Amino acid sequence: MNRRKILSVVGARPQFIKAAPVSKALAARGGLDEVLVHTGQHYDDNMSGAFFEELEIPAPAYQLGIHGGGHGAMTGRMMIALEEVMLREQPHAVLVYGDTNSTLAGALSAAKLRVPIGHVEAGLRSFSQMPEEINRALTDRVSRWLFCPTPGAVDNLAREGMTQGVHFVGDVMYDASLMMRARARASSTILARLGLAAGCFQLATLHRAENTDDRRALARAVRYLDAATREAPVVLPLHPRTRAAVAGFGLALGAIRAVDPVSYLDMTALLDGCSRVLTDSGGLQKEAYFLRKPCVTLRDVTEWHETVEAGWNRLWGNADYRPRQEIAAYGDGHAAEKVIDLLAAEL
Ligand code: UD1
């Protein structure tokens, strides 16, 4: 077989985590070459470089250095640069991950050039107007391979008339989480560095636009986390966007313990050691479930309904969890291999 070239587009923190197991599976498979493109959406070392090292992702072949600005400007600048790269590289397929502006830019650039697209984490819906919902729905619409993390995602696509090229493969973040948990237990020192005892603290993250871009919304979220400190200390690795918003709106964090963003290894260790998770992140809601930690989602909707149905996650507007049950919604920890098997068979 002639060698086939896959161009993968990553840019933001959760995409590095998703791309890691897929890159690994791709490298292990004969006949496929990967060209990794980093849009530059996340650029601080603790938001990007550290992830590449720990997750053993090869250095990107292209670093586009595009970040900041409005959503349209950021996505547009990425498209201009990605189109050039795709024209030069002539890939047989493009892989995009999740629902960030980098995802949409990669998908639209490839679609205009008629390069077939594989969307890893296809079919999720929160039924809201969040920027991520726009990104994921449009990306699904132009993708040839829709790699779904859950059976529910397959149903969502079917409701929108998408049944061709739809595959339930499981969640690549589950693959990554399994890979990292053992390593975090063996080598992370974050609990000792922060002086935390396992089981005696809560882990929080807060960065989504709906919570950070409006003073009242951010004040509400901060108040919620501050109130939670009455139960156990709350450790909050602070996204740069949230840090800037807190300062800009003149808010105080009260008893919340803010720390700099942490690497994926350290995040896994914090998750493994905490008593509860409080977050507006999509990824962390799931990772909390993978490690069977109760989670409160600081949002009014979630695209990860299964974690709520399983009784481990609740939206902050709901006082109680549903009864706990085991669900097998996220696959068997080999989602990335399935993605690569399907691509290799069809290219
Ligand atoms: C993006 C994704 C979001 C994902 C999140 C993960 C979109 C629409 N949103 O949101 O779905 O959950 O990534 O973290 O794509 N910044 C820095 N240093 C960095 C990265 C960002 O200072 O390394 C600053 C940026 O300059 C910007 C702000 O943080 O002012 C927000 O960054 P941006 O990439 O626009 O979106 P995220 O909030 O990170």
Side-chain angles (χ1 to χ4, degrees), residues 125-306:
R125 295 293 181 268
S126 62
F127 306 103
S128 69
Q129 285 304 310
M130 291 188 286
E132 290 78 10
E133 183 83 351
I134 298 164
N135 292 341
R136 59 173 85 99
L138 294 177
T139 300
D140 284 340
R141 184 52 69 185
V142 293
S143 292
R144 164 145 153 214
W145 295 279
L146 296 140
F147 299 117
C148 295
T150 61
V154 174
D155 297 341
N156 288 338
L157 291 174
R159 265 197 299 277
E160 294 175 23
M162 286 178 267
T163 51
Q164 294 287 312
V166 176
H167 305 277
F168 166 58
V169 291
D171 194 325
V172 293
M173 282 190 88
Y174 184 44
D175 301 13
S177 172
L178 292 176
M179 187 171 100
M180 229 32 171
R181 187 179 342 180
R183 283 176 49 193
R185 284 184 182 163
S187 61
S188 172
T189 58
I190 186 79
L191 265 62
R193 277 187 278 139
L194 295 179
L196 297 167
C200 301
F201 67 94
Q202 304 176 84
L203 174 64
T205 73
L206 188 66
H207 72 277
R208 296 295 280 260
E210 68 262 34
N211 282 327
T212 58
D213 288 1
D214 170 83
R215 188 179 196 281
R216 276 184 57 194
L218 185 57
R220 175 181 176 220
V222 166
R223 258 199 322 276
Y224 190 93
L225 294 181
D226 190 29
T229 63
R230 287 200 285 271
E231 291 173 45
V234 171
V235 176
L236 173 67
L238 209 50
H239 187 293
R241 146 193 235 122
T242 317
R243 185 175 290 282
V246 166
F249 292 137
L251 295 170
L253 290 174
I256 303 163
R257 180 153 173 214
V259 298
D260 284 336
V262 296
S263 71
Y264 188 52
L265 185 81
D266 287 344
M267 195 63 182
T268 308
L270 285 172
L271 191 55
D272 201 26
C274 75
S275 58
R276 187 169 72 153
V277 174
L278 306 149
T279 190
D280 61 359
S281 150
L284 202 60
Q285 291 171 50
K286 258 183 323 181
E287 289 170 326
Y289 173 70
F290 298 156
L291 274 71
R292 301 297 189 272
K293 299 289 175 176
C295 178
V296 179
T297 293
L298 312 177
R299 291 202 219 153
D300 299 327
V301 291
T302 179
E303 59 281 14
W304 299 105
H305 314 281
E306 296 81 0

Side-chain angles (χ1 to χ4, degrees), residues 12-14 41-48 67-69 71 74 99-102 131-132 135 207-209 239-242 281-282:
R13 196 165 50 173
Q41 182 170 349
H42 286 173
Y43 48 93
D44 289 347
D45 188 54
N46 58 13
M47 300 282 287
S48 175
H67 49 76
H71 285 265
M74 190 201 292
D99 54 18
T100 74
N101 292 339
S102 299
E132 290 78 10
N135 292 341
H207 72 277
R208 296 295 280 260
H239 187 293
R241 146 193 235 122
T242 317
S281 150

